[in-house]
Structure formats: structure tokens, C-alpha cells
Amino acid sequence: MAYEVTATRRRPQSFENLVGQEFVAATLKNAIESKKIAHAYLFSGPRGCGKTSTARILAKALNCEKGPTATPCGECSACKEITAGSSMDVIEIDGASNTSVNDIRQIKDEVMFPPNSCKYKIYIIDEVHMLSTSAFNALLKTIEEPPPYVIFIFATTELQKVPATIKSRCQQFNFRLVPIEKVKEQLALAASEIGIKAEDEALYWIARESTGSMRDSYTLFDQVAAFSDGEITYEKIRDKLGLVGVDRLNELFGFCVAGDSSTALLKLDEYLQNGVSIEQLITNCTDYLRNLLLIKNGITKEALLGQAAERFNSDVLSSWSSVQIERALSIFMQLYRDIRYSLSPRYELELAVSRLCWLKDYVSPMEVKRALDAVRPMLSNASLARVVRDDARSLEPQNLEQQNLALQNQETRTENRPFDFGGAEPPEKYSASFEDDGSEYQDAPDGEEPPDLSDFLHSLQSREQKNPDVRKDEGEKKSPEQQSDREIVPSSAVDTSSVEKVREAVQNDFSETEPFVGALISKTENWKKNGGTVECTISTDFDLSRIRSCSAKISKYLSKVYGQEIAFSVTLKEEIKETGQISLPEDVALIRDVFRGRIVGQ
């Protein structure tokens, strides 16, 4: 008897034998049992998941001598002919080679004739997305209103290429990839049928490589069985197909974790000398790192890993964090994309392995941010550790010996502080003297030792006690509104007959002593006296807030001028609205509304 490949030998012959497509099988069975049979079906999904097999099963279920039935017998002449592909009433068409509109015209002519021996004439068009646009348009009317004995079944792997006009006339069924566990079960049954022993690890590898396609898994199974001599083991697969098993990868990545780049590169050369291709090695390393990342996140499902989690190197798992494993995985993912354009793929692979040897030192941006957030309070406190007066900063040692002494003292004081960014400490001795009478700094006479810093500070304190107007801390900066708390008194007699003359006097006196307040008073308008209150206006909100902070001083000044308690009140100047005369441009109005402003002039 001629040899038959496993994919053909184990092709499903009933709805119960469909693997991984339980929803499609149940829907079609219920439709047949309830006599609700559509005139067109569209099966879509990845390769090797059972679309054509389902179409043949549906054809047998509809044309079986006992049917239509959800469980075709498989023994009648109709079932046997459909299984063998020789039925005249079930026509299979390859859409990839029959793409023209003439092929569709032939179908339109044939559908006018009833079936020869079966109940239905069924057209199975595989890879229907390959039909031309004219062919699809020619098929529309036939699909929408076919004769009652004609049924169309379309199969495609690229549903997006099928026109919406075709989709709307068909019942759509989406086929899914088969889970790895079910693929492995079917491979085990196929091995037992032909009397071959197979290890679970080897079957898991075949199922994982098939990526959910039953046909791909059976094809790879036949290839592996051909050189396994009746027993399929993972070691044989690894040696014959040039794979790098988990044991070898544990060894390679163990050297990378230890930072032994020379041994890791020598081990890499050994694998390549044994016939392992660079692309295959990159693929195996990527799969290994992906499994490490899953285990690091607590996922130990054997179907996902392809083998037991205990087989992976525990040193690698404990040495690398999840972020570092993600970094390693991204390196190999990018490596696979780069080697096709590389000058030497081997150099690229060696560079990637060398990078893994120092991966333990890799710090992610998130970890850097976390570290900076942790030390920020320490840095803030250290920056306030030392405050040196402006007067003392201008004083420097006169000779090299004093400078060295200052540096030694500073190192002694900052030796035990981990963070000291407060600036240099003042030296113990200064080459300047200060007289208590308020004179400027003078150089110390030759041969005399400069006064100690404590003497300097004592002299400064004595001067401040003698002259209260001297600012006590030259380093402090005050805002213009807070610069002087002294009371301003009129410099001469003020004519109170006119409020404008009072305004002029106020502006002049404040301009001499507090220029900032005087500048604000010059911006005020519409002065008038209303009983015990002097009222005025100002143009902008900003100036309004600033002059109100000085209103107490101005009120005291006015009280002295009038000889009674006078309050000073400032309000915002109201803009003049000219309705119906001026219309704002659209862009100006938009800017005004966005920034919530107002028009002050034009």
C-alpha cells in the first residue's frame, strides 16, 4: 500500500474529529439538524486549521444517503466519493489558479443544471481571496439568489481581501489556531498509530514549532519520525536539526550572568562549529529569554514554556531582574531584525552575547528616577547646611599658608558628611579688620595677625546696635513692597484745597523715599475725596494688587495731610464699552476668550 502522509491520513472525516474548532462544528451540526441550511458559507482562518476539511464534512453531511444529517455515515457511495474527491456534485475549485471572470461564467452556466446523484450541488472554492475584482462582481448575483439545490462554500486565509459584498451574502465562520496541548495530544495519537515511541518534550517542541497549525505539526512530525528510528527524543531532534537545547542555553547564559565574556564567546563558537545556524541560535535564545520572563512573573504553565520550569537555570533567574530580562529579550528581538542587513551576522550575535555579560549593571530609567526621588530630601537638606554672609565671602586669606590652613579646616569639618553642597566654609582667619565706627574694611597692618571671625561678627553686631537703619542681613532680599516699614511724612505743608495737589504731594514724597510706591501712585487716576476716604482708579489687575499692598502707608500719609483718619481706596478702572460701533476681528476675539482677557485699547 502506498505511503500516506500523516496530515492526509488523519484528516477529519466528521464534525466530532475537528480539533480546536468546537464552535464551528456545533453551529453547523445544529443548523443541519434544524434544517436551516444557508446557500453560502465563508470559512476564514490561518493555514492548516481545518477549513477545507470542514467544507468536505459539510458536503458529506448534506449529501449523505441518510441525510441531511449531522453525522454522515461515511459508508454510502456519496460519502466515499466526496472523501476521495471524485464526486461530480461536489466541485472543488482552486481560487488561486481560476481567477478570471471566464471561470466564474462557467460556474454560472453549470448551476442551471441540477445535481446528478446527490441532493445538493456544492461548490468549494479554496483561497477565494485570489479571485479578481471582475470575477467577484460576476459571482454576486449567483451567490445572492442561487437555485435551491446549489450551495457555495468559500475558504480563505486572508479575510480582509474578500469584498464586503461577498461577505454580506455568506455566513461567516472564523477558525482559530489549535492550542498546543491539543496539538500534542493528536501527535501522541499519530505516533501510537504507527508504533513510534515519542517523548513528551519532543512532542511539545513539535507542537510549539507548528504555531497552532495541525497540518504543520503533522508535516514536522513526519520529518522527525523519518530519522528517529522508531523513537522520537528531544536529543535526536536537537542534534539532527541543529537546535540548542535548554541545557546548553543554561550553560551559555550562566556565563553571561557571571560576567565571563571570554568563556561565553568561546561557548558560542563551539555551538556554531557544531553546525547550529545563527538564525536558529538567535531564535532559541529569544525563546529561552521569553520563558525566563514568564517564570520571573510567576508563570510556570508547562504548555507555555514547552518544558518544566525547574529545567531553567536558577542562577540566571536569581541574578537578573524582570527589567534586565526584558532588556535582554529586546536585544535579541532587534538582533533578528538587524542580521539580514548586517555585514556579518556572526559579529552581531557575538556583540549581543557580550552585552549580556554586563547586563547586571543595566539600570532602567525608572530605577534611576526612583533613586533620585529617594535622595532628593537629603540633597535639599545638604544645600541648606552652610550659609555664608556676603560680607565674609569677600574676605580671602592673604598668603598660601592661610589658604592651606583653611582647606584643612574645611576638610575636617566635612569629612563625615556624605552630601555637602552648601558651599565652602569660611576660613578661621580673615585678613581684614573692621572698625566699630562703621568705616569700610581695611587691610590688617603688616606683622599683625588678622582678627578672628568671631571678632568680626562682634564688630558687625556693635555697628548695627549703634545704627538701627543698617540692614542686619545683607544676604536677605526683600520685595519692593516690603523694603521699608518707615512711616512717610509730608516734607512740607500740603494744599488740601484740591485733591490733585494732594496727589502730586503724595507722589513726590513717596518717589524720594520709596520709588516703587511712587511709580505706582503715578499710574493712578480719578482721585477724589469722599468723606473719610480718598478714592482713585488704576488700569491693570497687576498694578491694583501691588498698590493695595502699600495702601496702609499711603493712608497714614493722607491722614497726616488732612489731620484726620483717611482711608485710601483703589479700584480697577472700568473700560469704556462702545456697543454697535467697533467689532473685534475674529482672531482677536478668539485670543481674548482663550486667555480670559479684556480689550484695554485699540
Side-chain angles (χ1 to χ4, degrees), residues 414 468 514:
T414 60
E514 293 190 26

Side-chain angles (χ1 to χ4, degrees), residues 236-298:
K236 291 181 179 179
I237 295 175
R238 183 189 63 192
D239 297 336
K240 298 296 182 180
L241 298 181
L243 306 178
V244 183
V246 65
D247 297 330
R248 294 180 178 178
L249 291 175
N250 283 334
E251 187 179 13
L252 175 63
F253 283 93
F255 293 133
C256 294
V257 167
D260 192 354
S261 58
S262 60
T263 307
L265 293 174
L266 289 175
K267 185 62 65 176
L268 178 64
D269 177 69
E270 178 185 336
Y271 296 158
L272 297 177
Q273 293 295 333
N274 291 336
V276 180
S277 66
I278 294 178
E279 292 80 3
Q280 186 64 51
L281 183 56
I282 295 174
T283 302
N284 294 145
C285 290
T286 304
D287 186 64
Y288 180 86
L289 290 170
R290 174 252 188 188
N291 291 337
L292 288 181
L293 185 60
L294 292 177
I295 297 174
K296 198 72 175 179
N297 288 278

Side-chain angles (χ1 to χ4, degrees), residues 319-333:
S319 300
W320 282 349
S321 64
S322 297
V323 175
Q324 292 169 338
I325 296 176
E326 288 179 6
R327 175 66 175 171
L329 184 59
S330 66
I331 289 175
F332 274 88
M333 295 286 286

Side-chain angles (χ1 to χ4, degrees), residues 325-345:
I325 296 176
E326 288 179 6
R327 175 66 175 171
L329 184 59
S330 66
I331 289 175
F332 274 88
M333 295 286 286
Q334 185 63 39
L335 174 62
Y336 189 81
R337 291 189 289 265
D338 291 343
I339 57 173
R340 67 186 67 183
Y341 305 111
S342 175
L343 175 65
S344 174

Side-chain angles (χ1 to χ4, degrees), residues 478-484 514 516-517 546 550 553:
K478 294 185 179 181
S479 63
E481 299 91 276
Q482 300 171 340
Q483 280 185 353
S484 177
E514 293 190 26
F516 172 79
V517 181
R546 303 181 79 182
C550 310
K553 299 178 183 180

